[in-house]
Amino acid sequence: MAAETRTTLRSVELHILLSVVDRPRHGYAILQEAEERTGGRPGFEIPTLYRALRRLHELGLIRIASPPEPDPDERREYWAATKAGRRALEEELARLEVAVAIGRARVSQAKTGGDQ
Amino acid sequence: VKGAAAATAVALTRALLLLYPPSFRRDVGRALLGDVECRARELGGWRLAAFLVRLACSHLFNACAAWAGLAVRPAAWLDLKLAFRMLVKYPALTLVGGLGMAVAVTIGVGFFALLYPRFYPDIPLSEGERLVALQNRDRLTHRENRYALYDFGVWRAAVASVEDLTAFRTVSRNLIADNGSVEVVEAAEITPSGFRLARVPPHFGRTLVEHDAAADAPPAVVIGHDVWRTRFLSDPAVVGRTLRLGDTVHTVVGVMPEGFAFPVNHRFWIPLRADPSNYAPGEGPSIYISGRLAPGADSGVAHAELRALGERMARDLPDTHGMLRPEVVPYTYQFFGGNPDSASAFWPMTALVSLILVIVCVNVAILIYARTVNRLGEIAVRTALGASRRRIVTQLFAEALVLSTAAAGVGLLVVQTALTWVSGAVERFDDTTFWTTYALTGEAIVYCVALAGLAAVVTGVVPALRATGRRAQAELRLVSPGSGLRMGRVWSTLIVVQVSVASAGLPIAGAMGGLQVRDAFNMPDFPVDDMIFAHVGLESDRLPGEDPEAAGVAVAQRFAGVRAELARRLADEPGVAGHAFTLDLPLQGSSERIALEHDDTAHAGATYDVAQYRVDDAFFRTFDLDLLAGRPLVASDVGLTPTDVVVVDRAFVNKVLGGDQALGRRIRYVPPPGGGSGDSAPIRWLAIVGVVENLERNPFSDEALNPRVYRPMGADGNGSGLAVRLAGADPRVLGRRLSSLAAEIDPTFRVSIVAVGETYRTLRTVLGAAAFAIGAALSSVILLAAAGIYALMSFTVARRHREIAIRTALGASPRHLLGGLFSRAIRQIALGIAIGIALALLIDRYEGADDGGLLAGRPVWLLSGTVLLMGAVGFFATLGPARRGMRIQPAEALKGE
């Protein structure tokens, strides 16, 4: 229901789906990947990450998965994207592509206008 | 170091995880803890500190968000967000509706918060709800008869359903310290069973025991925790030390724990030594009797048992008990005159008060209905997209709920502030009880939530059901938005009623509020802060079998002696400019009704309410009241048999005599209807021998001042008031000195200081608050009336949008059109005002006619003001919709045709 009413993913949700779309990852690995992607500034903290994980799980966009290899820290939970999650990610990326294309065009237009 | 840092972060997270919903902790708590630990191990120095701060903030935010997500489903969350937006989008409706509801909720919750604990007290003692009071009620007067020492003896022996039967009375005593300083305290003279009844063990020593109550036992006293702390400096060896109360030296046998103030608000407990077997029925001191329901018994059983016993006593002792009916009531009821049925009146009263909110909400519903009509397009689109009627009604309900919740929040805040103020005032006057807490109880909050829900249903669901009804929707499909619905006869009638209520209430409430404000400025015209006021009296207990009359004369003679001695010593006291004895202190004069002899004014045969003060010959001198005519009271007027003369004040001359000559006129007291001894007593005419200046002044009008009559006081009582005029002395120091002087004359001679100045200030605040409350209620009524008119006009414009457009297109003048359209609404307003004015006149005529009418004798002024104000309200309320109507563009409006 809520997934239908929401048209865009939040930043933290996008980072989660980007991390778990190809293979299962635990929370801390998701955070570290997000930090790598954003130069160390993902814009969220661990509690926000876990609330988002729980929300995506409730919406059926991710599922709990078994670890690809045995993990010494048994507290860790691994997450993987579901079909719906992959679809939501694809839609979000397509939306972002459009936004990027429009943005690029406008910036170049602005530059041209500025040069004249 | 890193291990310690990680442990800190984990501990912090573990603690903050408790703020989350349990399901969140269960699902992801462990994994989250593990990640926090990993991250903390990676960081050090200021980065770690910054991480901990960010982590704590993030936890707080996410915990709140997790709860919010749990409490409301996503759709409901969306509804609430939309509702908030609607509040902002329609600020006028938010303000008017919210204010009206807030005023009504404040009245409702304030009423509930003050009265619920009175009828359903929460007694902070073990099984406090099983404590009951036993009392006799006179069948004729319906009053409690507390001269029940004999009955106490009988009940204690015979009643099985109530245990630990306890009798007590409150006595005032001079607490005399070793250094001679004196403080008047109130002690509970109580049967030792009282401590078993309370079930509270002592902090030190022991409580009173049966032996303490024996006539030959050494006097014992149990003291409260704060007395132990302040007077005995928390001495752990206090047991065995002595305390002098009046002329009796008591031995301290125990200290009660902090907060213990049973049976009412006591800090000293001494044994009640009056043995019931020594007293005849109806004799002995006035006492309160209480006990605890025995295991297995309830108040019904106890009541029946006591009633059966009472019937037997009425048969055996017809002279004293023939008209008495014993009853069992909840413990606290005995202190406010409650009877077994008192609580049954509470819920109907609550329902009546809640009705105020319903009336306000019906008004707000009119406004919301009118707004809903303007949103019919939106509703139609949502219906077409598949939204069910339930879904739309839920959304409109959510909007109303947000508004009513905000109003309830404001109401709670106002009530809480008022309760804090009341609590402070009660403590200042030391007038509290151990079970009273002036705070919002859980029950009051539940009631407030119920009010908010009720308001949301009336203001949200009712208009929503109407706007989404089958008929409305069918018409909506056929014609353009807004034209299908009509402001039916019910709504129109409601607006007429609303305007008439406002028009009737405005002059009456205006007059009442004005009087409150005016009276709030009644100020003492004597140097109240340079004076000390006190009640003085002797301890006096009649012995069993003593003749009441002879005992009365003896104590009056004793009192006259000690009073004369105190007067002599006061005259020699430095810092004292003068003093007077008076039976009635300022603000405490008794209200009496009088008639004039040879009343040849226009009001022949009329009676007048005056305040009576019984004073001695030094009164006018002490209060510095100028003599305007005649003579003051003199020593020969005052005495065992006071002379039949009175002195009146300027307000009396102006208000009662209409400014005529006062000297030589005679007045008499008129007994209250159906009561008093006036029937058999001969009518005594009292001659006016002097006129003095008013005791109070009012900067606005002398009309606010009560007429006063000063009579010479007699010397037949055992107590009076005392007013001392200071000459530079500190009132607090001299107050203590006064108590010491009295105790030196006789240890049982008490001086209780009365804070008259403080009472004046409190009175002013109370009157000011009352005027403010009337003003707030009135403003909300006017606002609602204005909003109702506005809604009616908006509705008219919205409904006839097409018609206006077509007629404008055909060349009709917009002004002419609007005149025609609004004529019905204007007629409704005029009708409402006319009914309201007639109602006000009617109420003024039949209610309060004795006191110059509810309109305070200025009907023309007030009523014309009302017509003007309501006319202006109507004008401004129609202005907006009228302008909207005139701006309708035919091309735009008929585009879809």
Side-chain angles (χ1 to χ4, degrees):
Chain A
M1 178 77 177
E4 289 160 16
T5 58
R6 290 250 307 273
T7 51
T8 58
L9 289 174
R10 292 173 191 169
S11 159
V12 58
E13 293 165 345
L14 179 66
H15 280 295
I16 292 170
L17 287 175
L18 283 174
S19 296
V20 302
V21 70
D22 54 344
R23 54 175 291 199
R25 279 193 169 80
H26 57 72
Y28 198 57
I30 298 170
L31 180 67
Q32 283 174 319
E33 273 205 6
E35 282 175 342
E36 275 173 28
R37 279 194 290 268
T38 57
R41 290 169 181 257
F44 55 85
E45 280 298 335
I46 296 171
T48 308
L49 170 71
Y50 272 89
R51 199 163 62 83
L53 280 170
R54 202 159 165 267
R55 192 167 54 233
L56 292 180
H57 185 232
E58 280 171 1
L59 292 172
L61 300 184
I62 58 172
R63 62 181 169 81
I64 295 172
S66 46
E69 58 246 15
D71 193 319
D73 191 343
E74 60 173 20
R75 291 175 298 186
R76 282 181 176 158
E77 204 84 76
Y78 279 74
W79 307 89
T82 60
K83 264 189 193 168
R86 280 196 292 276
R87 205 167 47 240
L89 180 63
E90 280 168 21
E91 283 170 11
E92 182 67 10
L93 291 176
R95 196 184 63 78
L96 286 175
E97 274 168 6
V98 172
V100 168
I102 293 172
R104 288 241 162 91
R106 291 221 170 144
V107 168
S108 78
Q109 216 172 22
K111 272 186 184 168
T112 328
D115 294 344
Q116 284 171 354
Chain B
V1 173
K2 289 199 168 172
T8 309
V10 168
L12 178 73
T13 297
R14 209 184 283 278
L16 291 174
L17 268 176
L18 294 173
L19 299 176
Y20 288 84
S23 60
F24 184 91
R25 289 202 297 273
R26 191 184 57 234
D27 292 349
V28 294
R30 275 183 77 216
L32 194 153
L33 271 172
D35 287 2
V36 166
E37 192 181 336
C38 284
R39 173 47 52 98
R41 281 182 192 283
E42 287 175 2
L43 300 172
W46 66 270
R47 281 173 190 276
L48 177 69
F51 168 67
L52 290 178
V53 172
R54 285 202 312 273
L55 184 70
C57 293
S58 178
H59 270 310
L60 291 176
F61 170 77
N62 281 288
C64 292
W67 278 111
L70 195 77
V72 286
R73 291 174 297 104
W77 185 239
L78 201 66
D79 282 344
L80 287 179
K81 276 206 281 194
L82 191 63
F84 276 111
R85 281 185 200 147
M86 296 306 282
L87 288 189
V88 179
K89 194 175 169 189
Y90 293 90
L93 177 58
T94 305
L95 202 70
V96 173
L99 184 72
M101 281 196 242
V103 169
V105 169
T106 304
I107 293 170
V109 177
F111 168 85
F112 192 94
L114 281 177
L115 287 192
Y116 182 84
R118 192 181 180 88
F119 292 111
Y120 301 96
D122 184 13
I123 299 175
L125 291 174
S126 160
E127 292 188 278
E129 73 284 356
R130 296 189 66 78
L131 261 57
V132 289
L134 287 70
Q135 58 190 17
N136 277 320
R137 188 173 293 280
D138 193 309
R139 287 187 216 193
L140 273 185
T141 62
H142 301 290
R143 294 220 173 125
E144 303 88 357
N145 183 323
R146 303 215 172 278
Y147 294 96
L149 200 57
Y150 176 85
D151 307 71
F152 174 65
V154 174
W155 293 344
R156 191 165 54 178
V159 174
S161 53
V162 183
E163 298 176 336
D164 297 329
L165 222 57
T166 296
F168 89 92
R169 65 170 180 157
T170 300
V171 291
S172 286
R173 294 282 183 266
N174 276 333
L175 173 56
I176 305 171
D178 294 340
N179 64 4
S181 71
V182 177
E183 183 192 349
V184 177
V185 297
E186 294 200 326
E189 213 175 60
I190 188 168
T191 54
S193 55
F195 291 92
R196 288 197 302 276
L197 178 62
R199 291 184 179 170
V200 176
H203 185 59
F204 271 131
R206 63 171 176 85
T207 58
L208 297 175
V209 293
E210 293 302 332
H211 172 68
D212 293 322
D216 55 351
V221 63
V222 174
I223 57 173
H225 196 273
D226 56 340
V227 176
W228 172 61
R229 218 178 46 237
T230 54
R231 202 159 272 278
F232 292 96
L233 305 173
S234 304
D235 178 9
V238 64
V239 173
R241 288 180 65 178
T242 57
L243 193 75
R244 186 169 177 196
L245 293 173
D247 55 354
T248 310
V249 176
H250 296 259
T251 304
V252 176
V253 296
V255 178
M256 293 310 286
E258 193 162 8
F260 183 82
F262 184 81
V264 181
N265 183 26
H266 294 91
R267 298 177 300 152
F268 298 89
W269 296 267
I270 53 179
L272 179 68
R273 289 192 161 158
D275 184 350
S277 59
N278 290 334
Y279 288 85
E283 287 206 342
S286 167
I287 52 167
Y288 290 91
I289 301 171
S290 42
R292 183 183 289 275
L293 291 171
D298 60 21
S299 59
V301 171
H303 192 70
E305 189 185 6
L306 200 66
R307 190 52 71 83
L309 204 58
E311 280 167 14
R312 210 168 63 215
M313 286 173 80
R315 274 197 309 275
D316 297 345
L317 305 162
D319 290 346
T320 55
H321 284 65
M323 297 312 286
L324 295 184
R325 185 191 293 262
E327 63 190 21
V328 175
V329 293
Y331 177 76
T332 58
Y333 282 29
Q334 59 187 326
F335 304 114
F336 69 87
N339 61 50
D341 301 324
S342 293
S344 61
F346 175 70
W347 293 108
M349 279 196 294
T350 307
L352 263 180
V353 173
S354 308
L355 204 63
I356 298 174
L357 181 73
V358 175
I359 294 168
V360 169
C361 286
V362 167
N363 285 289
V364 180
I366 300 173
L367 302 181
I368 293 191
Y369 182 56
R371 184 182 73 180
T372 309
V373 167
N374 287 329
R375 289 167 61 193
L376 280 178
E378 171 202 327
I379 292 172
V381 170
R382 293 190 60 185
T383 310
L385 289 174
S388 64
R389 185 184 184 196
R390 190 177 155 187
R391 186 73 202 80
I392 290 168
V393 171
T394 308
Q395 189 209 318
L396 294 174
F397 172 70
E399 288 174 21
L401 190 65
V402 167
L403 185 63
S404 69
T405 306
V410 172
L412 277 182
L413 204 69
V414 174
V415 172
Q416 178 59 54
T417 312
L419 286 177
T420 309
W421 183 83
V422 170
S423 170
V426 166
E427 269 176 31
R428 242 191 342 269
F429 289 99
D430 201 19
D431 194 22
T432 184
T433 60
F434 79 92
W435 62 87
T436 311
T437 48
Y438 289 97
L440 279 172
T441 57
E443 290 88 352
I445 291 171
V446 167
Y447 174 66
C448 185
V449 170
L451 283 185
L454 176 73
V457 168
V458 177
T459 57
V461 175
V462 175
L465 286 177
R466 254 190 88 79
T468 57
R470 202 173 294 161
R471 209 181 93 198
Q473 290 298 314
E475 286 178 356
L476 193 62
R477 275 194 288 275
L478 295 173
V479 290
S480 63
S483 62
L485 292 175
R486 55 185 62 188
M487 205 74 166
R489 208 167 278 172
V490 177
W491 298 113
S492 304
T493 310
L494 276 174
I495 287 166
V496 174
V497 170
Q498 173 68 58
V499 173
S500 57
V501 167
S503 305
L506 201 64
I508 291 169
M512 280 165 65
L515 288 180
Q516 302 275 357
V517 171
R518 195 190 66 179
D519 291 353
F521 284 90
N522 275 0
M523 290 178 221
D525 205 12
F526 52 92
V528 68
D529 291 322
D530 289 330
M531 294 182 79
I532 297 177
F533 303 91
H535 287 299
V536 294
L538 278 173
E539 281 174 31
S540 67
D541 273 334
R542 210 148 27 91
L543 298 169
E546 203 177 358
D547 174 28
E549 206 166 307
V553 171
V555 77
Q557 281 174 351
R558 253 183 78 209
F559 179 65
V562 293
R563 198 179 69 181
E565 178 59 22
L566 182 64
R568 199 183 61 72
R569 293 198 187 191
L570 272 176
D572 296 339
E573 191 69 22
V576 173
H579 73 272
F581 287 98
T582 161
L583 284 186
D584 313 285
L585 289 174
L587 288 175
Q588 295 176 352
S590 59
S591 180
E592 303 284 349
R593 184 153 283 201
I594 59 138
L596 294 169
E597 187 187 30
H598 307 307
D599 190 353
D600 50 4
T601 64
H603 307 288
T607 56
Y608 306 89
D609 287 325
V610 298
Q612 174 193 249
Y613 287 78
R614 287 154 300 172
V615 301
D616 72 357
D617 53 312
F619 185 88
F620 304 125
R621 214 169 39 243
T622 306
F623 281 81
D624 203 13
L625 295 183
D626 292 339
L627 185 70
L628 303 177
R631 67 166 178 88
L633 296 177
V634 292
S636 57
D637 293 324
V638 185
L640 274 174
T641 46
T643 54
D644 288 343
V645 297
V646 291
V647 169
V648 296
D649 70 354
R650 194 154 57 85
F652 185 97
V653 174
N654 290 337
K655 289 176 84 171
V656 177
L657 301 176
D660 286 354
Q661 169 68 23
L663 298 181
R665 301 288 297 271
R666 297 207 301 171
I667 65 166
R668 71 174 172 85
Y669 287 89
V670 179
S677 55
D679 295 342
S680 55
I683 298 169
R684 288 173 63 188
W685 287 100
L686 308 169
I688 299 174
V689 295
V691 180
V692 291
E693 188 49 85
N694 296 326
L695 193 64
E696 292 173 342
R697 69 191 143 81
N698 186 296
F700 297 116
S701 161
D702 277 358
E703 283 287 304
L705 303 176
N706 263 340
R708 283 183 167 77
V709 170
Y710 298 97
R711 283 183 75 182
M713 66 187 269
D716 53 351
N718 171 31
S720 78
L722 169 65
V724 180
R725 179 86 177 263
L726 305 178
D730 182 342
R732 273 174 302 183
V733 174
L734 206 87
R736 285 196 292 272
R737 173 83 184 124
L738 204 57
S739 299
S740 303
L741 277 179
E744 276 171 23
I745 296 166
D746 186 324
T748 65
F749 187 21
R750 297 182 315 262
V751 174
S752 309
I753 301 293
V754 181
V756 171
E758 183 70 16
T759 311
Y760 265 108
R761 282 185 279 275
T762 306
L763 199 65
R764 194 175 309 164
T765 317
V766 168
L767 288 171
F772 179 78
I774 290 175
L778 202 64
S779 307
S780 79
V781 168
I782 295 172
L783 263 176
L784 284 168
I789 297 166
Y790 177 86
L792 179 72
M793 296 305 185
S794 293
F795 206 95
T796 310
V797 170
R799 193 162 67 87
R800 301 174 78 168
H801 198 252
R802 277 178 72 242
E803 182 194 332
I804 297 172
I806 292 169
R807 292 174 72 176
T808 312
L810 292 174
S813 132
R815 277 170 207 284
H816 184 71
L817 261 178
L818 285 172
L821 283 174
F822 288 168
S823 60
R824 181 169 151 242
I826 290 164
R827 275 203 304 276
Q828 285 176 349
I829 297 170
L831 181 66
I833 294 177
I835 293 174
I837 296 290
L839 212 62
L841 281 171
L842 211 66
I843 295 171
D844 181 52
R845 182 169 178 161
Y846 289 104
E847 286 292 324
D850 295 345
D851 306 320
L854 287 180
L855 297 177
R858 293 191 175 82
V860 176
W861 197 82
L862 280 163
L863 295 180
S864 49
T866 300
V867 173
L868 275 178
L869 182 66
M870 289 310 292
V873 165
F875 174 74
F876 284 110
T878 51
L879 211 57
R883 288 176 59 187
R884 250 201 328 273
M886 285 171 68
R887 280 202 216 111
I888 291 174
Q889 297 295 326
E892 193 70 25
L894 301 171
K895 213 187 308 181
E897 297 294 310

